[in-house]
Amino acid sequence: MTKSILVLKLGSASITTAKGAIDETIIADITRQVSELAQNHHLILVSSGAVAAGMKYIKNYKGKISERKAAASIGNPLLLGTYAKYFQQYNISIAQSLCERQHFSNRTQFLQLKETYEELWKNGVIPIANENDVVSNLELKFSDNDELATLLGVGFGASLILLGTSVPGVLDREGNVVERIDSINNEIFSLANKKTSEVGLGGMTSKLTFAHLASTMGIKVVIFGVRTPDGILKAVRGETGTVCTPKNCSIPARNKWLASGSLVTGRLMIDGGACEAIRKRKSLLAVGVQSVVTPFANGEIFEIIDDQSSIVAVALAKISSDMISHDSKQHNLEIANASDIVIL
Ligand SMILES: Nc1ncnc2c1ncn2[C@@H]1O[C@H](COP(=O)(O)OP(=O)(O)O)[C@@H](O)[C@H]1O
Ligand SMILES: N[C@@H](CCC(=O)OP(=O)(O)O)C(=O)O
């Protein structure tokens, strides 16, 4: 029986104490529940908490990016050591996976990541991912680990993404948990205020943004409280937290990573004829380009817009945008192959 893939993201505040120490009681409880799930799923854990666990080692910590990077490099091994200690009780080994944006935007690198995770699963090992904070500056950063969890879920074709946090789910204006969301629209976004936990990055807006992306790609997302008794097991069964129902998604699995949007680096404006051609599943040729709005390199993902600036598609570049010119000899130059274009 093939195991379905499940991504479990754990936010900083839910696994650390108010003083920033790793909360071993909660880690013990997480490992107990995860070991149960490991019998029937291929699991990817995405754990925040490296910065929180390491910040006490930085004198006069103010949260500057350089301090966060240093704190993360101290905190991540401590965090992983704690997971390893508690998973050992269930004879489960864990692996560290530090991720950067290019590991997703570059298909070759993503396939390397995939191969590694598959080897780990074959050996009963659970990968624990986190952003590679040590080398992430503001431009290259994932917006937070909610994004990383979603990109992993979309890239691996997960059936479920669990976003574990410090609150019991998405709360409505009366403070009650919204049990089910069929459409993450502006009304739902308006419930999320800018508040985050003291150590969290994105808050509820980020969770809703990425839950929207994942559910559009056909993946169910549950936003739930990690400290709810048996919260993880209940969230898998949809018995706690906020369940965001998946949409019917016709994009083939291979192209979902392309369409996830947050990996886009470039932007190309094309004319009406080219729009028509790509909608008919033809390749994109240089002859239809009106302008390179934002340059991109070979192998990067770019957005295709029409002359009204509406987004028509995203595509994987076969050439660098520098090669696009209006020289008539170049008219048949293929910018993206039909199979690498996702119409939106
Ligand atoms: N409508 C809402 N429902 C629940 N939590 C909300 C809402 N709006 C804002 N929040 C805030 O989102 C925070 C959770 O996000 P965050 O701190 O980033 O968590 P994590 O570290 O788990 O990623 C909570 O502390 C909560 O105050
Ligand atoms: N990579 C950082 C976490 C960043 C982050 O997304 O935090 P959170 O909003 O708590 O999930 C760390 O490990 O501290």
Side-chain angles (χ1 to χ4, degrees):
M1 196 185 78
T2 47
K3 292 182 173 183
S4 61
I5 296 170
L6 193 159
V7 179
L8 167 63
K9 187 255 170 172
L10 301 154
S12 310
S14 39
I15 55 161
T16 51
T17 64
K19 288 191 179 137
I22 299 166
D23 187 339
E24 295 208 16
T25 314
I26 195 76
I27 302 274
D29 196 44
I30 290 168
T31 53
R32 173 185 62 80
Q33 297 177 65
V34 168
S35 66
E36 232 177 87
L37 294 176
Q39 293 167 15
N40 302 315
H41 299 87
H42 285 315
L43 284 158
I44 302 175
L45 259 53
V46 178
S47 182
S48 299
V51 174
M55 65 193 180
K56 66 169 179 279
Y57 299 92
I58 306 293
K59 294 187 193 98
N60 301 319
Y61 180 85
K62 296 274 186 311
K64 278 195 306 193
I65 189 101
S66 59
E67 293 173 337
R68 284 183 62 87
K69 293 200 286 190
S73 68
I74 303 166
N76 210 52
L78 299 175
L79 190 61
L80 274 271
T82 312
Y83 280 114
K85 175 173 144 190
Y86 286 96
F87 270 121
Q88 207 174 29
Q89 298 179 3
Y90 304 96
N91 280 327
I92 293 176
S93 298
I94 54 142
Q96 172 178 258
S97 169
L98 294 176
C99 299
E100 296 166 28
R101 190 170 274 284
Q102 77 263 18
H103 300 162
F104 294 85
S105 54
N106 178 313
R107 184 71 181 161
T108 316
Q109 291 206 9
F110 182 71
L111 293 176
Q112 296 294 331
L113 187 75
K114 205 163 174 222
E115 195 178 276
T116 306
Y117 278 33
E118 277 159 5
E119 193 61 42
L120 291 169
W121 289 328
K122 246 196 270 168
N123 288 281
V125 177
I126 300 179
I128 304 189
N130 193 354
E131 172 158 21
N132 192 8
D133 293 294
V134 177
V135 291
S136 333
N137 61 28
L138 280 178
E139 280 120 59
L140 294 176
K141 266 189 74 38
F142 294 107
S143 70
D144 61 19
N145 274 339
D146 299 324
E147 179 179 19
L148 173 57
T150 304
L151 292 178
L152 284 164
V154 171
F156 278 88
S159 55
L160 179 62
I161 299 176
L162 303 175
L163 297 179
T165 183
S166 52
V167 282
V170 180
L171 305 178
D172 64 17
R173 290 188 177 80
E174 280 74 50
N176 301 314
V177 174
V178 180
E179 288 181 3
R180 184 184 146 135
I181 302 177
D182 290 325
S183 171
I184 303 177
N185 50 28
N186 287 344
E187 199 188 323
I188 296 292
F189 271 108
S190 74
L191 294 176
N193 56 48
K194 293 233 162 62
K195 233 173 104 194
T196 67
S197 59
E198 224 153 82
V199 278
L201 270 189
M204 196 49 73
T205 306
S206 144
K207 276 170 237 315
L208 289 172
T209 303
F210 294 107
H212 179 250
L213 171 59
S215 55
T216 309
M217 297 291 161
I219 304 172
K220 181 169 159 187
V221 178
V222 183
I223 301 170
F224 75 102
V226 177
R227 288 171 196 273
T228 303
D230 274 341
I232 300 171
L233 297 174
K234 286 185 184 150
V236 170
R237 300 193 295 262
E239 291 168 4
T240 190
T242 303
V243 177
C244 308
T245 52
K247 302 260 179 262
N248 278 333
C249 174
S250 59
I251 300 172
R254 189 201 167 276
N255 275 345
K256 281 189 180 171
W257 71 283
L258 252 183
S260 59
S262 64
L263 300 172
V264 166
T265 41
R267 191 168 246 236
L268 199 65
M269 186 179 277
I270 62 173
D271 63 23
C275 280
E276 212 175 299
I278 61 170
R279 285 201 175 103
K280 287 186 184 151
R281 310 280 173 227
K282 295 201 172 135
S283 300
L284 177 63
L285 304 180
V287 64
V289 173
Q290 282 200 334
S291 63
V292 176
V293 183
T294 314
F296 50 85
N298 181 359
E300 287 186 342
I301 300 170
F302 64 99
E303 235 164 32
I304 300 174
I305 57 173
D306 63 16
D307 53 9
Q308 304 300 307
S309 292
S310 300
I311 302 171
V312 180
V314 284
L316 177 67
K318 205 175 159 189
I319 56 163
S320 135
S321 58
D322 293 349
M323 291 180 66
I324 303 169
S325 74
H326 290 285
D327 178 346
S328 60
K329 282 192 224 125
Q330 296 258 32
H331 277 181
N332 286 330
L333 185 68
E334 197 174 85
I335 302 169
N337 189 279
S339 63
D340 292 330
I341 302 174
V342 178
I343 307 293
L344 299 175

